[in-house]
């Protein structure tokens, strides 16, 4: 597995450490067609994109691994905007007082609210709220994306299922998320089930859509080659069609995760006594803008975190691409 | 190129192929249009271990016939026998290589070649066989690369190794070198002959290239419409030419020049293109 990226990565390192040196001389020997093979690997191999650029921009000889350095630099760049926003926010509230605390509390006040809620003993504290929200999202996402994968695979692989189902599913998808809430509350009651089901509905559609279309568009030549080598049905799906569709499936999962958080807040805004969405409605009723901001920041951080988790899985799975 | 002696047990010897009265008609997508007959009454006997090249104009059904031998498509009429048993569905005795390598991009060359191994090959035997085949096609140094990291010629060699991994009784090649540059193509032709010498199997090969056919094949089969047939008529076997001499042949052999002219003529391409006289009126 790691040998896959090795030539490309090797080339990167060499260029970074010895900028004037002949790249061709250092090329690993790969047989008679080697030069064109390596050109292929440099252009087409899944080289670590940002690192490649960063490392070649550094140009000068580097003692430290260019990969680690490039990564740190990217992280630093990514922090510029959030830190700048935080400073502006602080400036506009605590320093100049352009906004009153009931309009926009200062970052310090939000931090105080976080500490207050984290140590709250008259009801669920911050950790409990976060825990219940994360639990709803994870269960809902797992159920919804599993259903999306299954139905998407069915519709993507079978013309009959496509004709039977895709129209109906498209119509159901067109129902706005909040439209489901009254029905779910009536059928399932105001409890965990109705919220998790709503989150699952949210996660289902992006996964379903991407999986179905990815499987429908797997290169027919590859499928035929698979058939020519005796693969049929499940073995064809597992060895050719699913791996070919993997990149799209993962981007579908990412979209599904984003939509799961969206639907979670919708569910918690309407009928709940715990969770980050509940903090939003409750604080709106009490005028606690600091807690509203706290909840929004927490949602942003959690959403980014779950997305990053899928990103890690993506990197592992797509290393072979 | 060094040839290695195969160590793995070959399960399929070379098989004879018998094409009997094969016809293929494609239903038209447009309902009002007539179904289109591509092949009719194709009869062909191929001896075990022979290399037979199919040539013919574009769209004359060469690839269709190949797909039927490999079981990817079924004839509308007639039947095809491999070693006396009819082909029904994708046949384990056959292995196909296409014009494109069609390697799975997420697998290494080794893993791609392993896809060709017959079902139920035990791991140790399979690994050994794959390594041996990669060595045979000169890719032992690149076994761990992915298809997009190697050149077109290397990918096509891997596809050939994958086909050989099946231990085929019949090796079916659909314009295998058509997409390669001229030099790589000549090298691949020699490689195919080396492979055939190392692992003698029946080879059925479609090509556009008359010289390639004459260089590689024991017999060249010209597919086409009968003379004087209307443009939409189905194609059949126009002629079968036995190529004189033993392989490896001299690419510049003068004795083949006459055959070459005959075959090109059969394809509707005269060897001497008359220069147009601007004063002379003619119709095309």
């Amino acid at each position: 597995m790691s040998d896959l990226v090795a030539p490309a990565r090797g080339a990167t390192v060499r260029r970074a450490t010895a900028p004037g040196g002949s790249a061709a001389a250092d090329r690993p020997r790969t047989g008679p067609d080697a030069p064109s093979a390596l050109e292929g690997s440099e252009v087409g191999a899944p080289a670590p994109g940002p690192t490649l650029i960063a490392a070649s921009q550094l140009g000068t000889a580097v003692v430290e691994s260019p990969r680690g350095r490039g990564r740190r630099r990217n992280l630093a760049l990514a922090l510029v905007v959030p830190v700048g926003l935080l400073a502006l926010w602080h400036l506009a509230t605590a320093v100049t007082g352009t906004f009153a605390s009931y309009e926009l509390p200062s970052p310090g006040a939000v931090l105080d609210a976080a500490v207050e809620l984290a140590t709250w003993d008259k009801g669920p504290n911050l950790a409990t709220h976060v825990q219940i929200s994360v639990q709803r999202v994870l269960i809902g996402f797992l159920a919804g994306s599993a259903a999306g994968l299954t139905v998407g695979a069915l519709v993507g692989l079978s013309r009959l299922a496509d004709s039977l189902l895709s129209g109906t599913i498209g119509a159901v998808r067109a129902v706005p998320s909040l439209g489901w809430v009254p029905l779910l509350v009536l059928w399932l009651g105001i409890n965990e089930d109705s919220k998790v089901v709503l989150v699952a509905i949210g996660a289902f559609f992006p996964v379903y859509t991407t999986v179905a279309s990815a499987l429908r568009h797997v290169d027919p030549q590859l499928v035929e080659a698979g058939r020519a080598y005796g693969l049929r049905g499940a073995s064809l799906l597992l060895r050719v069609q699913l791996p070919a569709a993997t990149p799209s499936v993962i981007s579908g999962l990412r979209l599904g995760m984003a939509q799961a958080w969206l639907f979670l807040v919708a569910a918690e805004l309407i009928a709940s006594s715990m969770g980050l969405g509940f903090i939003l409605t409750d604080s709106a009723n009490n005028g606690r803008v600091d807690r509203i901001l706290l909840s929004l920041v927490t949602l942003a951080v959690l959403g980014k975190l779950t997305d990053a988790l899928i990103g890690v899985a993506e990197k592992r799975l797509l290393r072979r691409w | 190129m060094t040839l290695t002696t195969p160590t793995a047990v070959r399960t399929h010897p070379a098989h004879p192929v018998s094409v009997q009265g094969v016809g293929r008609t494609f239903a038209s997508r447009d309902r009002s249009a007539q179904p289109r007959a591509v092949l009719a009454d194709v009869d062909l006997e191929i001896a075990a271990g022979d290399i037979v090249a199919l040539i013919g104009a574009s769209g004359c059904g060469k690839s269709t016939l190949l797909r039927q031998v490999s079981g990817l498509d079924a004839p509308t009429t007639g039947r095809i026998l491999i070693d006396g048993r009819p082909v029904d569905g994708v046949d384990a005795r056959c292995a196909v290589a296409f014009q494109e390598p069609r390697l799975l991009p997420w697998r290494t060359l080794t893993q791609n070649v392993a896809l060709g191994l017959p079902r139920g090959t035990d791991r140790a035997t399979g690994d050994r066989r794959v390594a041996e085949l990669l060595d045979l096609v000169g890719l032992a140094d690149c076994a761990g690369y992915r298809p997009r990291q190697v050149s077109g010629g290397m990918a096509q060699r891997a596809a050939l190794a994958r086909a050989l991994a099946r231990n085929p009784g019949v090796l079916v090649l659909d314009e295998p070198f058509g997409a390669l540059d001229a030099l790589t193509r000549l090298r691949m032709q020699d490689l195919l002959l080396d492979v055939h010498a190392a692992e003698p199997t029946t080879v059925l090969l479609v090509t556009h290239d008359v010289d390639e056919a004459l260089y590689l094949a024991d017999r060249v089969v010209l597919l086409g419409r009968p003379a004087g047939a209307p443009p939409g008529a189905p194609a059949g076997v126009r002629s079968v030419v036995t190529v004189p001499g033993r392989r490896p042949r001299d690419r510049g052999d003068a004795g083949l020049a006459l055959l070459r002219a005959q075959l090109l003529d059969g394809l509707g391409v005269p060897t001497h293109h008359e220069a147009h006289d601007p004063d002379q009126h003619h119709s095309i």
Side-chain angles (χ1 to χ4, degrees), chain B residues 81-105:
Chain B
L81 305 176
I82 292 180
D83 198 24
R85 270 192 297 138
V87 173
D88 181 22
V90 173
D91 202 294
R93 297 168 293 175
C94 247
V96 198
F98 304 91
Q99 181 170 4
E100 319 78 23
R102 300 200 192 181
L103 301 173
L104 303 179

Side-chain angles (χ1 to χ4, degrees), chain A residues 131-142:
Chain A
Q131 194 197 335
I132 194 77
S133 284
V134 168
Q135 179 186 314
R136 285 164 183 161
V137 161
L138 288 188
I139 297 177
F141 171 75
L142 284 179

Side-chain angles (χ1 to χ4, degrees), chain A residues 218-233 235-241, chain B residues 70 72 90-91 94 96 98 101-104 106-107 112 115-117 119 162 166:
Chain A
V218 170
D219 183 356
Q221 293 196 333
L222 282 188
V223 174
E224 190 184 58
R227 284 212 304 132
Y229 286 94
L231 301 180
R232 280 187 304 150
S235 63
L236 189 65
L237 178 68
L238 287 178
R239 296 217 200 157
V240 178
Q241 286 158 311
Chain B
S70 65
L72 284 169
V90 173
D91 202 294
C94 247
V96 198
F98 304 91
R102 300 200 192 181
L103 301 173
L104 303 179
W106 53 90
R107 290 183 171 213
N112 265 294
L115 184 73
L117 291 170
R119 291 282 179 82
R162 177 178 65 181
R166 246 188 154 194

Side-chain angles (χ1 to χ4, degrees), chain A residues 120 278-292:
Chain A
W120 194 254
F278 167 74
I279 297 181
L280 286 176
T281 36
D282 193 48
S283 309
N285 294 335
N286 301 333
R288 291 291 302 264
V289 191
D290 52 347
R291 284 194 179 175
I292 293 184

Side-chain angles (χ1 to χ4, degrees), chain A:
Chain A
M1 174 121 351
S2 58
D3 59 342
L4 151 70
V5 236
R9 216 175 264 166
T12 311
V13 174
R14 261 185 214 104
R15 198 171 298 159
T17 48
S22 149
D26 303 356
R27 281 176 172 166
R29 194 176 57 85
T30 53
D33 300 285
S36 55
L38 263 164
E39 272 155 36
S41 81
E42 276 177 18
V43 177
T51 318
L52 184 75
I53 297 158
S56 51
Q57 277 169 352
L58 286 178
T60 49
V62 277
V63 183
E64 176 184 19
S65 110
R67 203 176 148 72
R69 177 138 179 182
R71 193 178 278 173
R72 213 166 305 157
R73 189 187 140 117
N74 282 347
L75 190 67
L77 280 177
L79 283 175
V80 168
V81 173
V83 169
L85 280 177
L86 203 64
L88 262 181
W89 179 10
H90 183 70
L91 207 70
T93 50
V95 180
T96 61
T98 315
F99 297 99
S101 66
Y102 59 86
E103 290 169 333
L104 181 66
S106 68
V110 173
L111 196 65
D112 289 344
V115 172
E116 179 200 16
L117 204 58
T119 54
W120 194 254
D121 52 5
K122 284 168 245 166
N125 62 14
L126 186 59
T128 317
H129 287 298
V130 167
Q131 194 197 335
I132 194 77
S133 284
V134 168
Q135 179 186 314
R136 285 164 183 161
V137 161
L138 288 188
I139 297 177
F141 171 75
L142 284 179
S145 57
L149 274 171
T150 315
V151 181
L154 202 66
V155 168
L157 294 173
S158 146
R159 279 178 186 278
L160 178 69
D162 186 14
S163 313
L164 274 175
L165 296 175
S166 60
T168 313
I169 296 178
V172 174
R173 182 178 47 190
V175 175
S177 57
L178 292 181
W180 293 106
V181 172
L183 196 63
L184 290 175
V185 165
L186 271 180
W187 281 356
L188 301 171
I190 300 179
N191 54 20
E192 286 305 296
D193 291 354
S194 58
K195 294 180 190 67
V196 168
V197 168
L198 191 67
V199 171
I201 291 175
F204 172 84
F205 286 107
V207 177
Y208 156 78
T209 313
T210 44
V211 170
S213 107
L215 285 176
R216 202 174 295 142
H217 296 117
V218 170
D219 183 356
Q221 293 196 333
L222 282 188
V223 174
E224 190 184 58
R227 284 212 304 132
Y229 286 94
L231 301 180
R232 280 187 304 150
S235 63
L236 189 65
L237 178 68
L238 287 178
R239 296 217 200 157
V240 178
Q241 286 158 311
L242 219 48
T246 302
S248 314
V249 170
I250 291 174
S251 57
L253 289 176
R254 283 189 118 147
L255 289 171
M257 182 56 97
Q259 192 127 313
W261 282 104
L262 195 80
F263 276 53
L264 169 87
V265 174
E268 289 183 341
L269 275 178
I270 285 158
S272 65
S273 55
M274 267 193 288
L276 293 167
F278 167 74
I279 297 181
L280 286 176
T281 36
D282 193 48
S283 309
N285 294 335
N286 301 333
R288 291 291 302 264
V289 191
D290 52 347
R291 284 194 179 175
I292 293 184
L293 288 171
L294 170 68
S295 173
L296 290 180
V297 169
T298 314
L299 281 168
V301 170
L302 287 175
K304 184 68 197 143
L305 216 61
T306 47
D307 191 59
L309 275 179
I310 300 185
V312 169
E314 178 177 29
K315 235 180 202 167
R316 295 200 138 206
L317 276 168
L318 297 191
R319 216 178 322 177
R320 35 178 83 189
W321 269 86

Side-chain angles (χ1 to χ4, degrees), chain B residues 33-173:
Chain B
Q34 290 288 313
R36 197 163 53 89
V38 172
L39 292 171
D41 300 322
V42 177
D43 290 299
L44 198 57
E45 294 294 330
I46 300 170
D50 266 10
I51 300 182
V52 170
L54 283 177
I55 62 171
S58 297
C60 76
K62 305 181 295 281
S63 295
T64 306
L65 188 59
L66 274 202
R67 289 168 55 80
Q68 292 174 345
V69 172
S70 65
L72 284 169
D73 187 37
T76 318
T77 57
R79 58 180 192 161
I80 293 170
L81 305 176
I82 292 180
D83 198 24
R85 270 192 297 138
V87 173
D88 181 22
V90 173
D91 202 294
R93 297 168 293 175
C94 247
V96 198
F98 304 91
Q99 181 170 4
E100 319 78 23
R102 300 200 192 181
L103 301 173
L104 303 179
W106 53 90
R107 290 183 171 213
T108 61
L109 296 189
T110 301
Q111 291 165 337
N112 265 294
V113 173
L115 184 73
L117 291 170
R119 291 282 179 82
T121 309
D122 72 84
R123 210 188 165 95
T125 315
D127 288 351
R128 206 164 55 235
R129 178 77 178 137
V130 168
E132 173 188 300
L133 286 169
L134 282 170
D135 198 36
L136 179 63
V137 298
L139 289 176
D141 290 343
C142 319
Y145 285 115
R146 314 265 157 185
R148 69 184 57 185
Q149 294 174 288
V150 302
S151 68
M154 292 161 91
Q156 197 61 316
R157 278 189 267 158
L160 187 61
R162 177 178 65 181
L164 291 168
R166 246 188 154 194
N167 285 337
V170 182
L171 181 60
V172 174
L173 307 172

Side-chain angles (χ1 to χ4, degrees), chain B residues 4 24-25 36 43 55 59 62 72 74 94 97 113 121 135 138 147 152 174 178 181 184 233 245 271-272 279 282:
Chain B
T4 52
R24 180 70 169 99
T25 305
R36 197 163 53 89
D43 290 299
I55 62 171
K62 305 181 295 281
L72 284 169
C94 247
V113 173
T121 309
D135 198 36
D174 190 357
D181 66 90
T184 311
T271 39
H272 293 289
D279 296 332
H282 55 230

